[in-house]
Structures are given as C-alpha cells and as structure tokens.
Amino acid sequence: MSRDRANPLDYSRKTWMRLSMGFTFVFLYFPIVSLVAFSFNDSKRNITWQGFTLRYYEKAFDNAQLHEAFLNSLIIAGISTTVSTILGAMLGLALYRFRFPAQGPYEGMVHLPIVIPEICMAVAMVAFFATVNMPLGLTTITVSHIAFSIPFVAVVLRARMAGFDHALEEASYDLGATQWQTFWNITFPYMKPGVLAGALLAFTLSLDDFVITFFTSGPGSTTFPIKIYSMVRFSVTPEVNAASTVLIVITLALTMVALIIQSRSQGNPHG
Amino acid sequence: MADNNSIISIRDVVKRFGSTVVAVNNVTLDIRRGEFFALLGPSGCGKTTLLRMLAGFESPSEGQVLIDGDDMDGVEPNKRPVNMVFQSYAVFPHMTVHQNVAYGLKVTGTPRAEIDDKVDEALSLVQLETMARRKPDQLSGGQRQRVALARALVKKPKVLLLDEPLSALDAKLREQMQIELVHLQKSVGITFVIVTHDQNEALSMADRIAVMEQGDVLQVAPPSELYEYPNCRFVADFIGKMNLFDGRVTGVRDGKVVIHVEAIADQVAELALPHDEKASGEVGIAVRPEKIRLSVEEPGDQPLRLKVKVTELVYYGNESHVFLETTSGARFAANLKNESRDTHSGIVSGEEVWVSWRPEDTLVLTA
C-alpha cells in the first residue's frame, strides 16, 4: 500500500508553504479590496459600512476639479509615454548593439534614476528648472516624467533584446535589404513586445507618480494623484475611494492589454 | 591576374582584430567556378572570419577579395553577389516559410508576379512546397535549414556561403543532408563555399578542401589527395588518424631517402622510402592506421615489420581499433576490418603480434 506522499520538492503541498502564501496574498490585497469595497459605502465618514451606493462615483464624475486633474494626468502620461518610449527604446537598442568606450559606467549611470530615491530626483528637477528659469507647470511635470521613465523603458528593451539572434539582421542585410529595411522588417517586429511593455510601464509610472509631480507642479497643473491627496487631507470620503478605484481599473485594464499582446507574440519561439 | 576560371580570388588577405589578434594571416586562395569548396579547420582557425569577409560582414585589414573579377573592397553585404546560410539558420521567426523565401526578392524590388513563381521554384528545389504557409516554429531543424537554403538560392547568387550548416542536426539527418547538399549544388551549378570543423563533412562533400590553422591555409587539395598526401604534420594529424614519428634523413640510396627513426630503431634500423623531394634533416614519418597490417606469424617478406604487444582492442562491430606498443615504447594504432566473423582471432589484448606496412604507404613530412 503506497500512500500519496509529498515529494521533497513538492513545496506547494506543504502546509507551512500554503499558509505563508495565503498570508502574503491577504497582506497584499486586503487594503485594495477594502478600498474598492468602501467606495460603494453609503456613508460620509467612511469608517463603518452603512450600505451600498453608487452615489460617490456619480459625485466623483461630477467633480470638475477631479475631471481637470484626471485630464492633466492623461495629457502628461500620454506625452511622456510617447517621448520616453521612443528615446528609451533607442537607448536600450544602442546599449544592446554597440560597444563603445566606458560603456559599463554609462550603462550604470543610465540606470541610476531607477535606484536613487525619488525625492532626490524631485529636488534635482526643481533645482534644474529654477536654473533654466522654467516656470513650473504641465511642461515641467511632463519633462520630469520623461526623464524618469526613459531608464525603465531602456531596461525592459535591453532585456528583450538579450534573446535576439543578431544573425537575423545579418541574414536580412545579406539578402539585399538596406539597414533601414532590416530595422523595420526584422529588428522592430522583434522589439515590439518590449516596446509595448516599456510604454505601458512608462504610462502607469507617469499616471500614479506623486513625489516628483508634487515638486514640479505649479499653479493650475494639478494631477490626479495630487488631487486625491488634497482631497484626503480634508476628509476620507468614499469619493476618494471611488476615484482611486477608477485609477486601479484603468491600470489593471492596461496591464491586461499588455499581457494579452505579449502572450500573442509568444506564439513563436523567439517571441 | 585572376584567371577566368576562379569565381573567388582571395589575395594576400590579412584580418586583424585589435592590434594583437591575427585571425587570418596572409591568405591567398582561388575558388573555381562551380565547385564545392570547403574551409576546414579547428575552431578559432579563422575559417569563419574568412567566410564573413566573402559575405562582407568583415573587411580585410590587408589584401583583396575579388568575386567574379570585381574587387569587393567597400562593397556592402547587401550589394554582393553572394548569399549566406547561417549556422543558426537565422530564419525570420515572424514570417511564414513563403515570406522568408520571398524576403530577399521583396526588399530589392522584384515585381510581385515574379516573386511567387521564384519562391515556388526555390521551395520545390528543397522539397518544401507543402510547407509554404507554415511558421518556422512549426518546422523541424532540418526543414528550417531548407528554408535558409531556399531563401539564399532564390537570389541566384554567384556563390553560396554556408557557415557550419550541418552542426545543429543530429547524426542521421546530417548524413542525409550531406548527400542532398551535394546533389543540390550539382543541380543548381552555383559555387558552394562551406565552413566546417568536421573533416568527414568536408571529405564527403567537397571537390576541394582548404585546411586552415591559426589563420594560415596549410593545404588546398581534393579530399583523397588531402588524406593520402598531407603536406605537413598538422594536416596529417588533423585529417583522419595517423601514426606519427620523428625521423632524421641520413642519406640517399638507390633513389630512396634513408631515414633513421629513433622510436623504432631497435627493430628497424633504417627506413628506405621513395620520396621525390630532396628531403633532409628532421622529418616526420607517418602511416595511416588502416594501412598497418597485423599478423600472428612474422611477415618475412615485409621490410617494415615490428614485434609489438597489443595494449588495447576496441571493438566497433564493422571494425576494431587496435592499440600497440613495442618493447622500446613506440606506440602504434591500427584499424582492422572485421571482414568475416572469425578474422583476427589471434589478436588479443596482451598478446604479442607483428605489425607491418608497405614503404609506399609511408609519408615523409618535411613540414
């Protein structure tokens, strides 16, 4: 009689492993779930559950200031994503492709904005804009967002290119294609999932950035996260929860799109 | 200078990487129109670099490459009348087989109507007509290689360059592809230049082989000449197996060179060998394992005979490899064909036997 026992490496069947996985899951998602749940709470104070309502969603949608902040966020995210994706993709490709003097240090410096505290980056940005006499506003926020998004896009693309067979480009060139044709017909199709993932990363980073945006914003350039913050300072109403939930839904939707596109391109072994 | 017969002329080509690494060292080579030419050598010998200079991916540090009489200096890979089959095949993963083969025609502006016909023709050449709609990930390794072949051949190049084309295939498929490649080459009539480290591949496919080592071309010859008459120790040792001894020329007698070989001097005082060149000084004496005969009785009619002990006998079914040693420590290897079930019954590990070989089968290597 053989009993169905867990194999030594069958961690998923061990009780302590299941418990810790369950705890981690609750720890990660309980705040988010409660945030979403309380956005439907029919209570002004939003401390105890009073009943279900969609009132605060209506209120949030009717809030002109919130509208404007959301629109600002979309404009900033849209522009900074476009610019940082193009620049970051070019940078990632260059780092993969070319060997040049001091490449190691250069690559390290490029990645620095990912590592250094956001607050330092924010202060540096403000100091920079003061030096060049640039009034704080939507432009400065956008420029800052571009600056901190580029390394993320570059890193994602660099990782993508690590699996690229350089012989594909040589084959294209050998078959009579120009460098330009080779790039658009061979290299770019391979880069595409990386470019897309980088763009979505840049978009979400820009959309929910607080620290740098807070420092570099000026009058009339309130973004969505900053607006929510200022609302919270008055009182935590379900309206704040509703607005946050909308932001979560948008981010989730974009991530889903990215995953779907990526899984489609994985139809081939190189994808 | 380049005669009309050669499609590729490599003139005094040197390729340096950085200031210290010399990948190709002053190579001069002519590849004839319509031949199947192999560049053979161990890894790092410069054969791939040489091939890449033909394709245009590397440019020579010195010297000249002519393709069909035209100097290729400064001519980009996409403008050269050659095409390449890459070691990794480099089949475009996001295109179908048909799109892969059509690619080279499309980017150079071939009319649409012509493309389909040419692609179909190329695909039938490599027997892939039924696979045209497939993506590369739905193909086997051998089929992917055929796509790479068709993709290059559809461009009707003057020379097809193949970089280790069979190294990624399993042994059975490799043998089959060797035969197919030779047939394909003969039927399309295009010059093939193949790079390989596998001597069997080179010997079985090529019309002529250039053996390379450390950037130098050591010998250029047809396979049988390369095997039977290697011109130096490296080629003798690299192609097939070889029994090699150090010898010294002591004189000439009756039109034969007389050579003293220290390792076997206790049994054979001197070797009188037919050799055309004026050999002198230190030479290498070489004989192939399959040209060595083994017998239990002393072969009295053979001038070159030694008493040896069998140290090892490795059985391969169709043949056996026998390793032998004289009392003075000279080692021999011999190959025995197992022509019938009871041949070589007296040859047993640990027993003493006689080895002998014909003087005519002995090589005198002066380099």
Side-chain angles (χ1 to χ4, degrees):
Chain A
M1 293 291 276
S2 70
R3 212 149 54 89
D4 187 22
R5 290 177 59 175
N7 291 320
L9 294 175
D10 255 353
Y11 290 118
S12 62
R13 292 179 55 188
K14 301 210 161 147
T15 315
W16 60 267
M17 179 58 99
R18 289 179 178 183
L19 275 176
S20 77
M21 277 165 71
F23 177 75
T24 311
F25 194 78
V26 170
F27 189 75
L28 279 174
Y29 285 99
F30 183 74
I32 296 173
V33 170
S34 71
L35 172 101
V36 174
F38 274 81
S39 71
F40 301 108
N41 192 7
D42 194 2
S43 156
K44 224 177 162 61
R45 303 282 305 159
N46 208 11
I47 295 166
T48 51
W49 181 259
Q50 301 285 330
F52 181 86
T53 180
L54 286 172
R55 191 152 55 90
Y56 289 101
Y57 279 89
E58 283 170 37
K59 206 175 164 197
F61 277 111
D62 289 340
N63 186 334
Q65 283 181 324
L66 207 53
H67 255 200
E68 194 198 324
F70 189 66
L71 199 66
N72 279 345
S73 272
L74 282 184
I75 291 168
I76 293 165
I79 296 172
S80 83
T81 300
T82 311
V83 178
S84 64
T85 301
I86 293 170
L87 291 178
M90 282 162 66
L91 179 62
L93 193 64
L95 288 175
Y96 153 77
R97 173 70 61 76
F98 302 116
R99 297 280 159 269
F100 48 87
Q103 190 179 20
Y106 183 78
E107 222 175 312
M109 302 256 288
V110 163
H111 295 171
L112 212 55
I114 298 175
V115 196
I116 58 170
E118 219 182 330
I119 184 78
C120 302
M121 184 92 175
V123 172
M125 285 292 176
V126 173
F128 170 75
F129 292 131
T131 316
V132 297
N133 260 332
M134 206 171 183
L136 297 179
L138 282 182
T139 319
T140 51
I141 298 175
T142 310
V143 171
S144 310
H145 284 203
I146 292 169
F148 76 70
S149 298
I150 286 175
F152 286 95
V153 179
V155 166
V156 169
L157 206 88
R158 178 86 210 265
R160 170 79 189 158
M161 292 314 286
F164 185 65
D165 181 8
H166 181 54
L168 292 174
E169 287 180 342
E170 290 189 333
S172 165
Y173 202 23
D174 182 70
L175 289 166
T178 61
Q179 306 250 21
W180 191 244
Q181 284 173 321
T182 298
F183 178 78
W184 287 112
N185 290 323
I186 308 301
T187 318
F188 188 71
Y190 185 87
M191 287 167 62
K192 221 158 49 185
V195 172
L196 207 84
L200 283 159
L201 190 62
F203 192 82
T204 48
L205 281 174
S206 167
L207 204 61
D208 72 357
D209 179 74
F210 181 80
V211 178
I212 291 175
T213 313
F214 190 72
F215 274 70
T216 53
S217 61
S221 64
T222 308
T223 66
F224 197 64
I226 290 174
K227 180 66 198 163
I228 288 178
Y229 175 70
S230 66
M231 284 164 74
V232 168
R233 287 179 55 159
F234 289 111
S235 66
V236 185
T237 61
E239 193 185 349
V240 175
N241 290 37
S244 305
T245 304
V246 170
L247 194 59
I248 290 174
V249 169
I250 292 172
T251 317
L252 272 181
L254 285 175
T255 313
M256 295 283 274
V257 170
L259 285 175
I260 289 167
I261 292 171
Q262 258 181 325
S263 73
R264 267 202 202 145
S265 72
Q266 263 153 17
N268 65 65
H270 295 271
Chain B
M1 211 163 77
D3 64 290
N4 230 359
N5 232 346
S6 57
I7 188 92
I8 290 179
S9 292
I10 299 164
R11 301 255 164 268
D12 310 312
V13 163
V14 177
K15 178 64 185 178
R16 278 183 288 267
F17 290 110
S19 53
T20 47
V21 184
V22 181
V24 173
N25 186 16
N26 209 7
V27 166
T28 295
L29 198 63
D30 275 284
I31 296 170
R32 293 175 199 147
R33 207 174 288 274
E35 82 177 330
F36 200 130
F37 193 89
L39 291 167
L40 174 66
S43 59
C45 72
K47 56 191 192 298
T48 300
T49 307
L50 195 58
L51 192 80
R52 290 173 64 82
M53 284 195 279
L54 298 180
F57 295 121
E58 312 278 354
S59 48
S61 311
E62 285 171 32
Q64 212 181 9
V65 173
L66 304 174
I67 296 175
D68 204 14
D70 297 326
D71 190 349
M72 286 294 123
D73 185 39
V75 179
E76 296 284 302
N78 55 350
K79 304 281 181 230
R80 295 196 179 200
V82 300
N83 286 107
M84 187 147 160
V85 173
F86 291 81
Q87 187 169 12
S88 63
Y89 310 148
V91 173
F92 305 132
H94 57 291
M95 299 183 189
T96 63
V97 169
H98 186 278
Q99 287 168 333
N100 260 282
V101 179
Y103 182 78
L105 300 171
K106 219 172 93 186
V107 292
T108 47
T110 312
R112 246 199 128 66
E114 272 176 55
I115 291 180
D116 283 344
D117 289 345
K118 286 186 173 178
V119 170
D120 290 344
E121 192 190 332
L123 284 178
S124 72
L125 206 58
V126 295
Q127 292 139 42
L128 276 183
E129 307 98 314
T130 56
M131 305 279 176
R133 303 272 155 249
R134 296 226 188 155
K135 283 279 190 78
D137 59 337
Q138 298 165 304
L139 301 177
S140 68
Q143 289 168 333
R144 250 174 278 175
Q145 182 179 48
R146 286 161 199 266
V147 176
L149 270 168
R151 190 177 67 179
L153 287 171
V154 80
K155 297 277 291 173
K156 299 250 184 293
K158 287 178 178 168
V159 182
L160 185 72
L161 309 171
L162 302 107
D163 184 11
E164 302 265 9
L166 305 177
S167 60
L169 303 177
D170 62 69
K172 266 235 166 73
L173 197 56
R174 198 180 312 157
E175 205 174 310
Q176 185 195 331
M177 277 311 288
Q178 283 178 15
I179 298 167
E180 275 190 39
L181 273 179
V182 173
H183 282 300
L184 188 64
Q185 194 264 334
K186 298 300 171 217
S187 68
V188 296
I190 293 171
T191 311
F192 278 29
V193 179
I194 184 173
V195 154
T196 179
H197 65 273
D198 184 332
Q199 43 161 313
N200 290 329
E201 228 168 85
L203 291 174
S204 63
M205 290 195 288
D207 297 319
R208 284 195 311 150
I209 301 169
V211 181
M212 289 188 71
E213 195 230 359
Q214 294 190 346
D216 291 308
V217 170
L218 300 178
Q219 187 172 8
V220 184
S224 60
E225 191 184 323
L226 207 62
Y227 186 80
E228 299 293 354
Y229 300 97
N231 67 354
C232 62
R233 283 177 192 234
F234 181 84
V235 175
D237 203 37
F238 185 71
I239 309 282
K241 290 204 178 85
M242 193 63 101
N243 293 298
L244 253 173
F245 300 101
D246 292 324
R248 185 164 36 79
V249 176
T250 53
V252 179
R253 195 196 310 138
D254 305 333
K256 292 176 175 176
V257 284
V258 182
I259 297 161
H260 174 84
V261 177
E262 189 60 44
I264 58 170
D266 57 331
Q267 295 195 56
V268 180
E270 55 177 38
L271 287 79
L273 302 170
H275 189 69
D276 312 335
E277 286 175 56
K278 291 269 170 271
S280 64
E282 305 293 325
V283 291
I285 296 300
V287 58
R288 295 274 180 206
E290 72 276 11
K291 301 202 163 54
I292 289 185
R293 286 175 219 159
L294 295 184
S295 53
V296 181
E297 307 292 328
E298 179 170 1
D301 54 333
Q302 293 293 330
L304 299 178
R305 59 177 189 272
L306 290 101
K307 198 173 192 182
V308 293
K309 198 169 162 183
V310 179
T311 57
E312 202 87 56
L313 194 142
V314 187
Y315 181 72
Y316 286 103
N318 61 339
E319 59 177 21
S320 299
H321 294 180
V322 193
F323 297 92
L324 313 131
E325 197 172 337
T326 67
T327 47
S328 59
R331 288 157 188 267
F332 285 88
N335 291 359
L336 295 181
K337 275 241 166 306
N338 296 327
E339 288 159 319
S340 58
R341 287 181 172 175
D342 54 356
T343 36
H344 320 307
S345 51
I347 292 148
V348 184
S349 189
E351 291 296 307
E352 289 198 329
V353 293
W354 286 88
V355 299
S356 61
W357 69 92
R358 302 192 311 158
E360 305 90 291
D361 289 336
T362 317
L363 281 159
V364 180
L365 302 166
T366 52

